Amino acid sequence: MIAHLINTDAGNRGVLRVYIDYRRENPDFLHNSAKMFLDNYERVLVITGFPIPPMMHAETDGPPGALALVKAIETLGGTAEVLTYPEVKTALEPFGIRFTDEPEIEDYSLVVAVETPGRTIDGRYYSMSGMEITRETFDWAVLRARELGVPTIGIGDGGNEAGMGKIRDLVVKHVPYGERIASVVETDELILSAVSNWGAYGLVAQASIEFGKELLPGWDEKTIVRIISKFGLIDGVSKTQTPTVDGISLNVHEKIVELLNALVGETLRER
């Protein structure tokens, strides 16, 4: 149910066809990701931030999801650091989390990439509309983790993110400009979602169920999105500094979170 919910294509971006094929071959992708998360939360590197052409400014999708993961890790008793862009740091600073600019990947127990560009077959990076991203990227950290055997989880919604190389064939098949934009960067586990924030929330929700405790109590989606927008992050679809994510109203995002919380609460009460 959680996997279905986080793949609700409210923005009509075509992810549903990718999800159906992916789920058919990988029915336990969310469970497997939650297990990896719960088995390796001691010290986690969370990567986020997606620059939107042509201004190359980071968007509102990704940072809230990263924040949710950090808070869940802290609830579990682990530590987390975030690798991201300066404007994302500014937007997330009010929430009291840790950042890093030069992570030593071998020091981490897990690397999670939430909505961050992944290089394509030509070595470049592209937006969903096929525009080239000409800014520093962080998928090197995922590739380094793979080399070192550090577990990795990717969370994406369009096919151009780090981790989506795991299903590059489905991106090419179903997503507009898929051959051009599809990332080749794979992760050990991949969470596909209609909005990457929802993918991160879905991971926390599934982990909460499997751990037997709500890992993200009191999450306030409206306040968080409004704060990061106020501090300069933009909507990746409208490319404007508005408190929306992927062109979808804040009301919809709030309802997705409410339903996830209700599902977790109902499941935990039944035990």
Side-chain angles (χ1 to χ4, degrees), residues 111-138:
V111 172
V112 186
V114 187
E115 184 70 14
T116 198
R119 66 196 63 180
T120 62
I121 199 166
D122 67 5
R124 296 184 174 92
Y125 303 81
Y126 297 98
S127 70
M128 285 292 291
S129 59
M131 296 179 66
E132 187 174 356
I133 295 168
T134 55
R135 191 178 180 185
E136 175 191 13
T137 52
F138 304 116

Side-chain angles (χ1 to χ4, degrees), residues 88 102 123 137 195 202 210 263:
V88 178
E102 298 180 349
T137 52
V195 176
E210 301 197 13
L263 290 170

Side-chain angles (χ1 to χ4, degrees), residues 118-120 159-166 168 171 181-185:
R119 66 196 63 180
T120 62
N160 53 351
E161 304 94 351
M164 297 290 274
K166 195 175 181 72
R168 185 180 184 276
V171 176
I181 72 168
S183 172
V184 297
V185 178

Side-chain angles (χ1 to χ4, degrees), residues 12-134:
N12 195 30
R13 302 175 71 197
V15 72
L16 187 59
R17 290 172 295 176
V18 181
Y19 167 66
I20 290 171
D21 282 357
Y22 180 48
R23 177 68 182 264
R24 185 178 295 117
E25 298 297 324
N26 303 273
D28 297 321
F29 75 87
L30 195 55
H31 162 74
N32 294 339
S33 298
K35 184 178 187 305
M36 178 172 283
F37 182 74
L38 290 172
D39 287 346
N40 299 281
Y41 64 77
E42 291 83 6
R43 187 181 181 195
V44 184
L45 177 66
V46 181
I47 309 165
T48 195
F50 201 108
I52 302 298
M55 59 279 271
M56 300 302 160
H57 202 76
E59 64 169 316
T60 51
D61 191 22
L67 177 62
L69 293 175
V70 170
K71 294 302 182 182
I73 290 161
E74 291 174 349
T75 300
L76 286 164
T79 61
E81 296 172 320
V82 177
L83 174 63
T84 190
Y85 297 103
E87 67 270 26
V88 178
K89 286 185 186 179
T90 299
L92 292 179
E93 276 177 349
F95 303 101
I97 63 177
R98 303 178 185 178
F99 301 97
T100 180
D101 292 323
E102 298 180 349
E104 297 291 340
I105 303 303
E106 60 270 21
D107 293 340
Y108 294 93
S109 55
L110 176 68
V111 172
V112 186
V114 187
E115 184 70 14
T116 198
R119 66 196 63 180
T120 62
I121 199 166
D122 67 5
R124 296 184 174 92
Y125 303 81
Y126 297 98
S127 70
M128 285 292 291
S129 59
M131 296 179 66
E132 187 174 356
I133 295 168
T134 55

Side-chain angles (χ1 to χ4, degrees), residues 7 9 32 57 82 85 94 151 156-157 161-162 178-179 193 245 249 271:
N7 279 280
D9 195 3
N32 294 339
H57 202 76
V82 177
Y85 297 103
D157 60 17
E161 304 94 351
E179 181 65 44
S193 51
V245 182
S249 74
R271 292 183 175 176

Side-chain angles (χ1 to χ4, degrees), residues 64 197 201 219-226 250 253-254 257:
N197 287 341
Y201 303 159
W219 183 260
D220 187 343
E221 179 77 356
K222 179 182 290 185
T223 297
I224 290 164
V225 174
R226 283 178 172 172
L250 196 48
H253 294 284
E254 280 190 293
V257 171

